[in-house]
Amino acid sequence: MATQISHLYEVKSDEKKVPPVKEVNLTHEQVEQIGQELEELRARIMADVGESDREYIYKIIRWQRGLEIGGRALMYAGWFPPAWIAAVGMLGASKILDNMEIGHNVMHGQYDWMREDTYNSREFEWDTVCPADQWKHSHNYMHHTFTNIVGEDRDVGYGILRMARDQKWNPYYLGNLGYAAALMLLFEWGVMLHDLEVERVISGERKWSDVKGLVRGMWRKASKQVLKDYVIFPALTGPLFLTTLAGNASANLVRNLWTFSIIFCGHFPTGAQTFTKEETENETRGEWYIRQMLGSANIEGGELFHIMSGNLSHQIEHHLFPDVPANRYPEMSKEVREICERHGLPYNTGKLRHQLGSTWKKIAKLSLPNSWTRDDDDLVVNIERAADVKATAS
């Protein structure tokens, strides 16, 4: 007897013209074998982590600092349009590197083994308005523990979007595309408010008194960022205050657009599954690994693209091994893909243009009731649970 861990792709009786469903059937032993193979892969890579990884992250840090210094310096020539454009590009790139390849990965504990005072998960603070400690709760704990479980993982919709057919539709979601566009433009602010769970405060599920500490932390961090980017650095350029102000705002916009695109392409393109609480109840470690692979997607590109994405272009590997240095994901991806292919599991990957297009298509479709649209994801994975095996044997 097989028990589904995802019914997202089932043919619903009230949905018409749905294409045939592809099924993948795995025994409990196969699932645990997959988990064991992935554990062994992680152990091999971590045993090899060392000086080359230290050199890598410090090289990225040097590049990030150089880009920031260069961008800030060029703002003094901001009266000359090519210099202003170059300044925005350099400053935007430095913020992307700081947030993605450095901050995100450091705060996952990927470099705690170096025992550095600054670049460890406990001490690091990044160049964005969201306090690091709040992000680590909403991301490292909530998202990576309950990945793509509707009602548990708040990254499914970020509290404002409908990103799964299992989310009950209501007329509010007709604005899905508009909400997504606003979140993309103001992404760092959306990330800052994420741990606040504003929708629960508005509905009365959470009291304002419960979030006072969070709000104070947000105010302290956001005020420092606003003062730095929109007051101090513009003031240092004297008569070019407004030009520098516009440049800093543009650099933050560049970072927001890029990070939103990479993150959404890693979680929501066609083929990325969501799950219910019931499906993941009493989940084994092997099933947890399966859920990470089914709920994530990769983006194909060259070495520079992977670096600028914080290697979140290897989102599947990141969800499987969040504490492994991200520069190791490209080599790990070959074996992960082979494991998926050997067991008939999908390995969701594609060019940025394809993944981004399918993500925005999903956002548009989910703005409408399920009965008005067709589910393009046509995979169902059946897993034979250990309890089922015992029941059959008895």
Side-chain angles (χ1 to χ4, degrees), residues 171 206 267:
R206 198 174 189 186
H267 295 87

Side-chain angles (χ1 to χ4, degrees), residues 41-42 45-46 49 53 56 100-101 104-106 108-111 139 144 298 306-307 309-337 347:
L41 171 59
R42 180 189 179 280
I45 295 297
M46 288 305 294
V49 165
D53 302 279
Y56 172 82
M100 302 191 78
E101 185 69 328
H104 171 271
N105 295 334
V106 166
H108 262 297
Q110 294 180 9
Y111 296 96
H139 182 81
H144 276 272
N298 284 7
H306 294 315
I307 291 172
S309 73
N311 273 290
L312 293 180
S313 47
H314 294 95
Q315 191 70 238
I316 296 172
E317 287 70 33
H318 175 60
H319 273 275
L320 292 171
F321 316 109
D323 61 343
V324 172
N327 61 295
R328 294 301 189 108
Y329 292 158
E331 62 181 294
M332 301 179 84
S333 68
K334 298 180 179 65
E335 189 162 339
V336 173
R337 186 167 192 163
Y347 187 83

Side-chain angles (χ1 to χ4, degrees), residues 194-358:
H194 197 34
D195 208 33
L196 195 60
E197 301 184 51
V198 175
E199 75 281 3
R200 291 184 61 200
V201 175
I202 294 174
S203 68
E205 295 178 59
R206 198 174 189 186
K207 298 179 181 177
W208 279 108
S209 57
D210 297 333
V211 298
K212 285 182 179 179
L214 291 175
V215 172
R216 283 195 294 269
M218 292 174 188
W219 173 258
R220 284 194 297 269
K221 183 64 193 300
S223 60
K224 289 179 182 178
Q225 288 295 120
V226 169
L227 187 65
K228 173 176 70 71
D229 277 344
Y230 302 130
V231 179
I232 294 176
F233 277 111
L236 289 174
T237 59
L240 295 176
F241 180 94
L242 292 179
T243 303
T244 304
L245 176 65
N248 288 352
S250 297
N252 282 326
L253 178 61
V254 167
R255 183 266 316 280
N256 288 347
L257 295 174
W258 179 255
T259 53
F260 172 94
S261 298
I262 295 297
I263 290 169
F264 269 58
C265 283
H267 295 87
F268 305 119
T270 299
Q273 290 199 40
T274 55
F275 309 86
T276 66
K277 298 177 186 177
E278 293 75 21
E279 290 168 334
T280 56
E281 189 176 359
N282 301 319
E283 189 176 58
T284 68
R285 185 62 174 171
E287 290 172 344
W288 182 90
Y289 276 122
I290 297 290
R291 174 161 56 87
Q292 304 308 313
M293 292 192 288
L294 295 179
S296 308
N298 284 7
I299 315 169
E300 297 169 3
E303 183 179 3
L304 180 59
F305 174 79
H306 294 315
I307 291 172
M308 294 303 293
S309 73
N311 273 290
L312 293 180
S313 47
H314 294 95
Q315 191 70 238
I316 296 172
E317 287 70 33
H318 175 60
H319 273 275
L320 292 171
F321 316 109
D323 61 343
V324 172
N327 61 295
R328 294 301 189 108
Y329 292 158
E331 62 181 294
M332 301 179 84
S333 68
K334 298 180 179 65
E335 189 162 339
V336 173
R337 186 167 192 163
E338 187 277 327
I339 290 171
C340 286
E341 291 175 350
R342 181 155 35 89
H343 291 278
L345 292 169
Y347 187 83
N348 191 339
T349 184
K351 296 289 187 181
L352 177 63
R353 179 175 58 185
H354 173 269
Q355 300 293 56
L356 194 58
S358 71

Side-chain angles (χ1 to χ4, degrees), residues 35-55:
Q36 183 62 36
E37 289 181 42
L38 292 170
E39 293 278 9
E40 290 172 358
L41 171 59
R42 180 189 179 280
R44 289 200 307 273
I45 295 297
M46 288 305 294
D48 188 55
V49 165
E51 192 58 33
S52 64
D53 302 279
R54 184 194 303 271
E55 291 175 0

Side-chain angles (χ1 to χ4, degrees), residues 66-82:
L67 285 167
E68 181 173 8
I69 292 170
R72 300 288 186 194
L74 277 174
M75 287 295 180
Y76 287 90
W79 52 268
F80 183 52

